[in-house]
Amino acid sequence: ATLAAIDLYTQKYPNVKIEGEYGAFGNYYQKLLTQLAGGTAPDIVQIDYKFVHDLIVQGKPFVNMNTMTNKIDMSGLDMKFAKEQCGEGDYLIGLPEGINGMGLIYNVQVLKDAGISIDNNWDWDKLMDAGIKLRQFDKNKNLLFLTNDHYGFLVKTQIKQKTGNNFIKDDYTLGFQRNDIVDVFKYIKDMTDKGVVPPFEESVPFEGVYADQNPNWLSGKYAIFATSASIIPSITKASKFPVDVARYPVPKDAKNPGIITSPSMILSIYNKSANIDEAAKFINWLMNDKDAIMAITDTRGLPAVKNARTILTEAKKVDPNITKMVEEALPFSGGSESPLSTNQEIDTILKDYIHKLGYRKLTPEQAADSLIKDLGDKLKEFKK
């Protein structure tokens, strides 16, 4: 879809040449850092919201979009959302292409066969009970699959629901107590022990890909995938069975509903680009022009530009499950994540202990104690 939009633009403006670059998400950020260090980054860069704080700390390598309002029409964007999610202070690292929300996509027939009814009042206890019920119905199936990122999201969401805090607070302290993280780690262990999720030995080879590339989802072995709304079109297209979506679990006594909402993708302009004005013109066209909107449709998530959502809705070009997932997530949004909570080094530490827990190398208590120590050491390093 992106290449089709590029073709449309270059047909309209034959003096401009645009080359798209493919890349796997797994090593995308490291490749980008290498390009930035060498001064070879592309004119237009797509970044994930989790990269925003790191990139700002590393010298603000992209044009401040607050200075581009005369070149890019931002009137259709929720600029409060954009500034909260895509920048810090007066610096806006890029513009959100889509609005994203976390939720669950599920195989309708697998749950129906097992007599499981999923609704938008699910909490973590109901999810566990449903997983046990599915396992009793068919010992070869698992209720839920989580990618590596989504295990991290589960931890951060449950912590926010328990405490009301981000995983790491802005004052470089932990947003949780020992008993909070022990409880979350016990929940992950229980899911693994009871077959609610597949064993790590089975899931880790696929932890970096989504359901559309996971053979166990495609064969009906896994019933539910935790996902962000922007991934729904590719999952739906690859699945040879009916799918539906439901809200991410929220406990009734949650101090914060905690569901992660974010920009699905952020478009930024490299500040060393020789083509800043042309890059801005293309971004403006991509986000606001009807032909571009119809070419991209919902492949980059539910459009952040209001007029784009209207155009696609009227043309019946929006996957209704995207709209459904986002609309169910937004009222239960946990708010913006703190920059330290999305820091790549913090994420790496957390995921390392999730793996050690999943492979039964550590108990929940041991994993909690070691995580707290390592996070504390890293935060002291950041604070210097």
Short mmCIF file of all heavy atoms in Angstrom, two decimals, residues 3 8 28 87 89 104 173 177 183 203 222 228 239 276 292 333 347 354:
data_model
loop_
_atom_site.label_atom_id
_atom_site.label_comp_id
_atom_site.label_asym_id
_atom_site.label_seq_id
_atom_site.Cartn_x
_atom_site.Cartn_y
_atom_site.Cartn_z
N LEU A 3 3.94 1.52 -1.16
CA LEU A 3 4.58 1.64 -2.48
C LEU A 3 3.58 2.13 -3.52
O LEU A 3 3.93 2.90 -4.42
CB LEU A 3 5.17 0.30 -2.90
CG LEU A 3 6.35 -0.21 -2.06
CD1 LEU A 3 6.79 -1.59 -2.52
CD2 LEU A 3 7.52 0.77 -2.12
N LEU A 8 1.71 6.76 -6.92
CA LEU A 8 0.74 7.81 -7.24
C LEU A 8 1.37 9.19 -7.14
O LEU A 8 1.14 10.06 -7.98
CB LEU A 8 -0.46 7.72 -6.28
CG LEU A 8 -1.48 6.62 -6.51
CD1 LEU A 8 -2.51 6.61 -5.38
CD2 LEU A 8 -2.19 6.81 -7.85
N TYR A 28 15.21 -3.16 13.27
CA TYR A 28 15.01 -1.86 12.64
C TYR A 28 15.65 -0.72 13.44
O TYR A 28 16.32 0.14 12.89
CB TYR A 28 13.50 -1.61 12.48
CG TYR A 28 13.17 -0.26 11.89
CD1 TYR A 28 13.25 -0.05 10.51
CD2 TYR A 28 12.79 0.82 12.69
CE1 TYR A 28 12.96 1.19 9.96
CE2 TYR A 28 12.50 2.05 12.15
CZ TYR A 28 12.58 2.24 10.78
OH TYR A 28 12.31 3.46 10.23
N GLY A 87 6.59 13.54 21.27
CA GLY A 87 7.58 14.57 21.56
C GLY A 87 7.72 14.83 23.04
O GLY A 87 7.10 14.17 23.88
N GLY A 89 8.11 18.46 25.61
CA GLY A 89 8.17 19.91 25.66
C GLY A 89 7.74 20.53 24.34
O GLY A 89 6.68 20.19 23.80
N LEU A 104 -7.49 -7.64 21.97
CA LEU A 104 -7.38 -9.07 21.71
C LEU A 104 -8.09 -9.39 20.40
O LEU A 104 -9.22 -8.94 20.17
CB LEU A 104 -8.05 -9.88 22.84
CG LEU A 104 -7.56 -9.59 24.27
CD1 LEU A 104 -8.41 -10.38 25.27
CD2 LEU A 104 -6.09 -9.92 24.44
N THR A 173 12.48 6.49 39.60
CA THR A 173 12.19 5.45 40.59
C THR A 173 11.20 4.46 39.99
O THR A 173 10.50 4.76 39.01
CB THR A 173 11.61 6.04 41.89
OG1 THR A 173 10.36 6.68 41.60
CG2 THR A 173 12.57 7.03 42.52
N GLN A 177 6.02 -1.80 43.88
CA GLN A 177 6.70 -2.44 45.01
C GLN A 177 7.01 -3.89 44.65
O GLN A 177 6.49 -4.43 43.68
CB GLN A 177 5.82 -2.38 46.26
CG GLN A 177 5.43 -0.98 46.71
CD GLN A 177 6.64 -0.16 47.12
OE1 GLN A 177 7.54 -0.66 47.79
NE2 GLN A 177 6.66 1.12 46.72
N ASP A 183 3.49 -10.57 42.01
CA ASP A 183 2.14 -10.99 41.60
C ASP A 183 2.04 -11.13 40.09
O ASP A 183 1.45 -12.09 39.58
CB ASP A 183 1.10 -9.99 42.10
CG ASP A 183 0.82 -10.10 43.59
OD1 ASP A 183 1.26 -11.10 44.20
OD2 ASP A 183 0.18 -9.18 44.15
N SER A 203 7.05 -21.11 22.01
CA SER A 203 6.65 -19.77 21.55
C SER A 203 7.81 -18.86 21.16
O SER A 203 7.66 -18.01 20.27
CB SER A 203 5.82 -19.08 22.64
OG SER A 203 6.59 -18.85 23.81
N TYR A 222 -3.76 -21.73 18.51
CA TYR A 222 -3.89 -20.62 19.45
C TYR A 222 -5.21 -19.90 19.18
O TYR A 222 -5.55 -19.62 18.02
CB TYR A 222 -2.75 -19.62 19.29
CG TYR A 222 -1.36 -20.19 19.49
CD1 TYR A 222 -0.26 -19.58 18.87
CD2 TYR A 222 -1.12 -21.30 20.28
CE1 TYR A 222 1.03 -20.07 19.03
CE2 TYR A 222 0.16 -21.80 20.45
CZ TYR A 222 1.24 -21.18 19.82
OH TYR A 222 2.51 -21.67 19.98
N SER A 228 -1.96 -4.93 18.73
CA SER A 228 -2.38 -3.55 18.54
C SER A 228 -3.27 -3.49 17.31
O SER A 228 -3.16 -4.33 16.41
CB SER A 228 -1.17 -2.62 18.38
OG SER A 228 -0.33 -3.10 17.35
N SER A 239 -5.63 -15.08 7.94
CA SER A 239 -6.42 -16.07 8.68
C SER A 239 -7.54 -16.62 7.79
O SER A 239 -8.31 -15.86 7.21
CB SER A 239 -7.03 -15.44 9.93
OG SER A 239 -6.01 -14.89 10.76
N ILE A 276 14.41 18.46 2.83
CA ILE A 276 13.43 18.64 3.90
C ILE A 276 12.09 19.14 3.38
O ILE A 276 11.03 18.63 3.73
CB ILE A 276 13.99 19.56 5.00
CG1 ILE A 276 15.09 18.84 5.79
CG2 ILE A 276 12.88 20.02 5.94
CD1 ILE A 276 15.78 19.69 6.83
N ALA A 292 -4.15 9.49 -1.67
CA ALA A 292 -3.21 8.82 -0.77
C ALA A 292 -3.96 8.04 0.31
O ALA A 292 -3.61 6.91 0.63
CB ALA A 292 -2.27 9.84 -0.13
N SER A 333 -7.88 3.96 28.28
CA SER A 333 -6.46 4.26 28.05
C SER A 333 -5.73 4.50 29.37
O SER A 333 -6.25 5.16 30.27
CB SER A 333 -6.32 5.49 27.16
OG SER A 333 -4.97 5.90 27.08
N ASP A 347 13.48 -2.00 28.63
CA ASP A 347 12.72 -3.09 28.00
C ASP A 347 13.54 -4.38 27.92
O ASP A 347 13.03 -5.47 28.17
CB ASP A 347 12.30 -2.68 26.58
CG ASP A 347 10.86 -2.20 26.53
OD1 ASP A 347 10.19 -2.19 27.58
OD2 ASP A 347 10.40 -1.81 25.45
N ILE A 354 11.59 -11.95 32.04
CA ILE A 354 10.40 -12.68 31.61
C ILE A 354 10.82 -14.02 31.00
O ILE A 354 10.22 -15.07 31.25
CB ILE A 354 9.57 -11.85 30.62
CG1 ILE A 354 8.95 -10.64 31.33
CG2 ILE A 354 8.47 -12.70 29.98
CD1 ILE A 354 8.29 -9.64 30.41
#
